[in-house]
Structure formats: C-alpha cells, structure tokens
Amino acid sequence: MAALPHLGLNKQDVLAHFVDTASHFTGTIGATLICCENDRLSIVSSYGSAPPITPDSTTAGWLKMVLSYGDVVDVGETMPIDAVQPTGLHSLVSDSLVCVAIRAPAGRLTGVVLLTIPVPHARLSAAQTYALQTHAADLYEALQLHPISAASGSAAIERLRLLESVVVNAKDAILITEAEPIDLPGPRIVYCNPAFLATTGFSLEEVIGKTPRILQCEDTDRATLQRIRDALQRWEPVEVELINTRRDGTKFWVQLSIVPVANEKGWFTHWVSVQRDITERKDAERAVQQAQLDREERVALESRLFERERMQDELSYAAFHDELTRLKNRGYFMGRIQAALNDNGDGHVGAATVLYLDLDRFKYVNDGMGHHAGDILLKSVAERLKACIDPDAVIARIGGDEFAILLTGADHEAQAIETARRVTRALSVPTEIDGQPLFTSCSIGIASLDAQHSIAEDLIRDADVAMYAAKNKGRGSWAVFDLSMRQASINMLVMQNALKHAIARDEFYLVYQPIFSIASEAVVGVEALVRWRHPTLGNISPDVFISVAEDIGVAGDLGRWVMRNACREVKGWNSGTQGKIKLNVNVSGVELNRRDFAAQVADIVQETGFDPHSLQIEITESVFLHEPEMVAETLEELRAQGIRVALDDFGTGYSSLGYIDRYPIDSIKIDRSFVTRMMKHERSVAIVKSILSLGQALDLAIVAEGVETVGQLEQLRKLGCPYAQGFLLSPPVLARDAEALFLARKPKALD
C-alpha cells in the first residue's frame, strides 16, 4: 500500500485500505484506529466490524500491557485468561482481537490498530506477523501524507522499502518474492534479509533473481511442496514444516510461513516467506522418541523372564479354562466325561449326566449390540451358573454361547431336572448392559451315560440333539434325550445333504401368490415362492428348509435360482398380456450381506431380459441386524437399477418405522396378524389406518397380507387399502395357472 495513492484520502479510507489488505491473509473483518500522543488516546477511525473501545486511561494502560508482548499480539491467544479488559471488549464473544502497533521510523509508538478476526482462526504465523507490521508501517506513511520522492521510484519499490524496514533486522530468515508465476519456474526472489544469508550460507548475488527452489533437496517432502503450491494458487497464507538445504549441502528443518502482500487496489504484488530453523527442536523430538524406545526396550528386557514365568502359568491355566468366562473349557469337560466312562473298570458305564445349554437368540445380541455386549452377557451367564449349581458339579463353556454341566453320583438323573429348573430361573433375570436391561433364556438338552456311549463325544452328541429338541418346544425349555431324537437328528443330516444337491437335481419349483388391486380386483403383481419336492422325503415346508439352507451356506445359490427362474417366467407372461405384472422376490439377510449381490441381480436381469422397473425385492427388518451399512449400500445400488424395495411383515418388529426413515423403502406389506385381528379389535383397525396414512404421506405402496375372508377384504376396501393378497383372492399357483389367471383379469400397474 504505497503512500502516494492515499494523498487526498481521509483516515476512514486509509483504514479501509488497511482492513482490505489484511483480510487477504488474516480474515480481518473490521478495525479501530487509535492514535497515541503523550499517553493520550484518540479514536481516529473505525471500519467494518470494529471492536468497541473507550479511549480512556484504563484503555491506555491495557494497550501498554498488551504491546509489552510485541508489536503484533493475538490478544485471545497471548494474554492471560484472567487479564482485565477495557469496557466494551467483553462483548466480543464470537470474534478475536489482534493488536498491531504503529510506530514512527525511530520506533516511537504513534498509534494502534485493533483488528477483529472471526473465531476460530489459526495462530498467526511469523509471516503474517511481519506482513501486519509492514502494513502498519505503510499505514503510518499514509497517515503522515508524505508524498513519495522521485528517488523512491514506483509504488512497488516503495512497498519493498517498507517490507525491508520491518524485516531487515529480524532474527528469522526472510525472503520476499514476486507474486507470480506460481507454476514453474516460480516467483523470483527480490529481497532476502541478512538472517537468511547467515542461515543458508548463500550470498546476496546467489539469491536475488532465483526462486526458493534453490533450498530444496531430495529429502524435501513433495506432498508438503504440493500443499504450498495449492495455497499459493488460492492466494492464501500457508504454514508448514519441511527440510531445506544450505549452500554447502547440509540439511536443516525449517518452520516455513508464507503470506501474500496486496496493494491498495487488492492486487497481490509479493509473497513474504519466513523460515525459522527448527532443527534443534526436531533433533530433540527424535532424541525423546529414541529415549522412549530405549526405555521400552529396557523394560521389555527386564520383564521378559517374569513374563515367561507368567505365560507358563497362564498356559497351564488356559489348558483347562475358558479365557472369557474363567469356567472350565471343552477339553477339561470331555476328559471328565471320559473319566466317568472308565470309573468302574468292570465293563459297566459310570454314573454321569450332561446338561447342554445354548443361549436363545444370542446371535441377535452380538449383531444388534456388538460383540462387547455379547461378551458381557456370556460372563454374566457364567457367574449365574456358578451361583446356582451344586459345588460338586462341573461347569464348562464348550464354545460360543454353549455351556455344559456335568453331574455325577447316584442321583445324577433326578438331580438333572432340578438343575435345569434352577438354571432357567437364574437366567430369566435380566442382565443390564450399557444401562439397558437385556432378557435372555436358554435351551437345555439332558443326556445320561448308558451302554451305547463308548466315548465322551457320544454323550455330548446326544445332549446336543436333546438341546435342539428343547429349542423346538420354545425358549427357556429343556428336553431329556431319547432315541427318537437321535433319529430326528439323522433325518436333519439327511435333509441337509439332500438340500446341497437339490438345485442340480431340479427338485425346486416356483409358485406365485397373486397381488390384487382391491379397487379393480385385477392382478397387478405376484410374489414368487419356492417349494421343494424331494423324491423320498416328499414336500418339505419352506419354514424348515430355508433356515437350513442359511445354516449350511446354500441360501445364496437358492436365492439366485429363484430370482433367475422367476424373472424368466414372469417375462414370458408380460410378453403375452396387455399390462406389466410386477414380480416380488423375497431376499434374505444372508444374500444382502454379499457385496456382489446387486451386481448379481443386474446380471440376472440382463440375462433374462426382465424389466428391472417391474422387479421388487421383499425384505424383513432382520436383514438390518448384521452389517446394516453394507445392506443400505446394496439397497441403494438395487434402486439405482430401477428395482424397488418392500419391507415385509411391517408392524411386527421393534423398529420398523426407524427402518423406513433410514433406508430406501418403496413399499410396505401389512402383516397378516393385523389383518386377522382388525375384525375383532378396534386397536388393530387403528394400527392399519395409521399404516395406510403413513404410506400415503411417504408415497409408499401398501399391500395387506393374509386376506382370507370377505369381511377382511371389505374392511380393507373401506379403509382405502390399495392392494391385497391372500387365500380368499387366490392361493399360490403354479406358473401355468398364474398365466391363465392374468389373461382372465386385465392387470393394472402397481405404483
């Protein structure tokens, strides 16, 4: 900001120029200019969001205290928290004050500029401090209204003179370069102070006209250099740490800060860069780090012998104990069973009964609340088992959420039932996890040693079979093993093996549950349902084989088969009808948790030529219990293809509304339980009304499931439900029968 352009301008304009140039590198939004004469203050001018201040003796004392910290002071960062501030400055809650001294060439204080900078703002760098001092010197010249002499040359030369007057005696190494070019070869150096020459070993002739690249070496971080270039291209201040090299090739660390300097018209004319040698600090940091490493290594060496002894003890303990619950482990438990088998030594089986426990729905705790919560629950279960089991009994964690209890003695069989009762009662009390009461229960299988058991695994196998029979009875149940259970277990194994080959043997087929428009009674869509007809086992219910398919890992193959065949068959119907039949396909969480599921569906749609806008997948809220973020991404990818998403069994889960709010859902299906109860309970009618209102408000298609009576259909029609499915309208039909049904009823598009 050269002096000459200010001639004829008032002090308000001069201060405005100062604020404008300072805003480029500090974010200044306003300032107050105070003149000092014989310790008396007078406010000369204010501009922008100026800090309010009263020019009294209190303010004079405060300014004297502030300037004792330097000629450029960030008041909020530098001053003590309990420092007294003049009246008016306490109101600057959202702004920060920077105080800049204005001095005559001889060093006499002639004024102060109080700058307002919005918070938060970064600490003022050395380059910003020098730039503010330079602008303060410029401001002094402008306020004196001294014209530039002919000898002083252009405004640019005058600017360099002012910059030099501030930095010539500075201890920091300072370069001043032209503003451009930013790209290669870079801005040329037009000035360097004596401290720069002393620090780098270069002579003035070797520096002037060159670019700061003369300081770079192979160890200068390229990412840091790119960060500097990016800031320069945006004409923004920047502060970094990097390695430079001296003329003799020695390398040193510097803290480099750069700010642009603008003229009174706002054009950037120069860059001021300040380099502080921080090599000693970096060496000290490395020394501290090395000392820390040495100390850690020494401690490790000193404790190695102790650790070895401790590990030996732990290994001995771990050989027979579970690490999480501190109960006995499977190996110890099996050894005790084997010992009971060999107790008599006379060919007779020893006396022992095993209770095999499995926590009900433990997977939902792990998936819904995390493994940390699952571990807390397992430890709580272990403590409760120890508290309610006889001291002579052996308790072990077999693995996962499975525990076992070994009872021995003459009355072990009778004692087993009483033990099962005590265990189920003990586990019925809720466990508090992260402030939330969590209810759990267990299923218990009971098996006693007999002549058919030759090894410990035989008894565990039978207890495990009985435990699964208990699960079928309901949560919190127990069952005593009998031979029929073993046969049922064998049948399950047979079914699992058969299921692995059922697709290749073409044992699956599809049926279709039509979806009707209640208003027009036309078929608007179908839900594809898979059926399994085994040549020897006969028709097997989907309620049985779907869960088995997920357990043995073939759910993905089965899902692909259903999707491909359903698309192919419905594509044929749509080619022969006047309308488009919408296809609904049920998709499990196992499938959605596969990262390639959306691509797999896209391949099937392309292969079959099916219109993706006519395809809708049906999911239940259980799919969100495991990897919800991955499921959400998969759903978004499907919708991007034009495929719609329906939430099935709506209203039966604990957070269905939350899923509609968080995830991309296009349609909801009212669970059949509400349809059944609404004929007898007004509360159910109110719930159905609410679901319909929600669907209308969110532009969701609503389908009522399980319509089985005329009364239910008429009630849904009265409530304004748009779509329905159920045995009253049509049971699931084979493909050939479905096509005939479509031809009989002209379809209407499902929104």
Side-chain angles (χ1 to χ4, degrees), residues 96-119:
S96 179
L97 286 177
V98 173
C99 183
V100 182
I102 304 174
R103 297 189 182 275
R108 179 175 57 86
L109 181 70
T110 63
V112 174
V113 179
L114 290 179
L115 303 180
T116 303
I117 304 176
V119 294

Side-chain angles (χ1 to χ4, degrees), residues 227-424:
R227 179 182 167 192
I228 295 174
R229 282 192 289 272
D230 292 342
L232 298 187
Q233 289 172 348
R234 296 191 300 267
W235 300 99
E236 294 177 350
V238 63
E239 186 171 23
V240 298
E241 294 181 355
L242 49 71
I243 294 178
N244 276 345
T245 183
R246 298 183 178 90
R247 187 181 185 280
D248 61 4
T250 59
K251 298 166 185 176
F252 64 109
W253 276 94
V254 296
Q255 182 184 62
L256 172 65
S257 58
I258 306 174
V259 295
V261 179
N263 62 19
E264 70 286 344
K265 295 181 180 180
W267 294 99
F268 293 107
T269 59
H270 297 87
W271 294 100
V272 175
S273 64
V274 180
Q275 302 184 37
R276 287 182 175 172
D277 190 334
I278 58 171
T279 303
E280 289 186 5
R281 193 194 81 194
K282 288 290 186 179
D283 290 342
E285 290 175 355
R286 282 196 298 270
V288 169
Q289 292 173 354
Q290 186 60 49
Q292 178 68 13
L293 291 174
D294 293 343
R295 187 188 70 83
E296 292 174 355
E297 183 176 354
R298 185 169 58 254
V299 170
L301 288 172
E302 291 173 353
S303 64
R304 187 166 296 169
L305 180 59
F306 172 78
E307 181 68 14
R308 183 177 300 169
E309 294 174 353
R310 186 187 64 81
M311 288 180 63
Q312 184 64 41
D313 293 339
E314 286 191 357
L315 287 173
S316 299
Y317 183 87
F320 300 110
H321 290 81
D322 173 60
E323 181 180 1
L324 177 67
T325 63
R326 317 307 287 177
L327 297 176
K328 301 297 186 191
N329 60 15
R330 180 186 179 90
Y332 179 88
F333 195 80
M334 301 298 281
R336 286 297 302 269
I337 297 175
Q338 196 63 45
L341 279 167
N342 302 331
D343 262 353
N344 289 342
D346 56 2
H348 293 88
V349 177
T353 294
V354 166
L355 288 80
Y356 202 87
L357 288 70
D358 178 84
L359 299 184
D360 297 321
R361 301 174 65 86
F362 178 75
K363 180 178 184 296
Y364 292 103
V365 178
N366 261 348
D367 293 345
M369 300 181 65
H371 290 280
H372 172 69
D375 289 347
I376 294 176
L377 179 59
L378 291 173
K379 288 190 284 187
S380 173
V381 168
E383 291 300 320
R384 296 185 186 191
L385 290 176
K386 287 189 289 185
C388 71
I389 300 301
D390 293 337
D392 294 337
V394 178
I395 313 170
R397 181 187 177 203
I398 302 302
D401 62 329
E402 297 177 343
F403 298 82
I405 301 169
L406 177 63
L407 304 176
T408 56
D411 60 344
H412 60 93
E413 292 179 300
Q415 186 184 0
I417 301 299
E418 178 56 31
T419 300
R421 290 194 181 100
R422 291 203 302 267
V423 169
T424 54

Side-chain angles (χ1 to χ4, degrees), residues 361 364 619-625 647-660 669-674 677 687 691 705:
R361 301 174 65 86
Y364 292 103
I619 60 175
T620 63
E621 69 175 43
S622 63
V623 304
F624 300 108
L625 294 177
L647 186 60
D648 200 4
D649 300 336
F650 184 79
T652 59
Y654 70 92
S655 57
S656 297
L657 287 176
Y659 293 129
I660 290 179
K669 302 186 78 172
I670 303 175
D671 187 71
R672 65 180 63 247
S673 60
F674 293 111
R677 291 200 301 269
I687 292 174
I691 295 175
E705 297 182 293

Side-chain angles (χ1 to χ4, degrees), residues 388-508:
C388 71
I389 300 301
D390 293 337
D392 294 337
V394 178
I395 313 170
R397 181 187 177 203
I398 302 302
D401 62 329
E402 297 177 343
F403 298 82
I405 301 169
L406 177 63
L407 304 176
T408 56
D411 60 344
H412 60 93
E413 292 179 300
Q415 186 184 0
I417 301 299
E418 178 56 31
T419 300
R421 290 194 181 100
R422 291 203 302 267
V423 169
T424 54
R425 282 197 301 268
L427 297 188
S428 66
V429 179
T431 299
E432 186 169 305
I433 300 178
D434 297 333
Q436 177 180 344
L438 182 66
F439 290 86
T440 187
S441 61
C442 68
S443 299
I444 305 176
I446 303 173
S448 298
L449 281 175
D450 60 28
Q452 298 188 41
H453 300 125
S454 57
I455 58 175
E457 282 77 4
D458 292 343
L459 182 59
I460 290 292
R461 177 202 62 205
D462 287 349
D464 186 44
V465 167
M467 183 266 292
Y468 276 101
K471 279 188 177 295
N472 292 332
K473 293 167 62 176
R475 298 173 61 182
S477 301
W478 66 83
V480 179
F481 176 80
D482 61 43
L483 291 178
S484 65
M485 293 179 183
R486 185 178 295 169
Q487 186 58 49
S489 177
I490 293 172
N491 292 341
M492 176 60 72
L493 291 174
V494 171
M495 186 179 70
Q496 290 177 350
N497 186 61
L499 189 56
K500 294 178 181 179
H501 305 286
I503 294 178
R505 294 171 180 171
D506 199 24
E507 295 173 2
F508 290 111

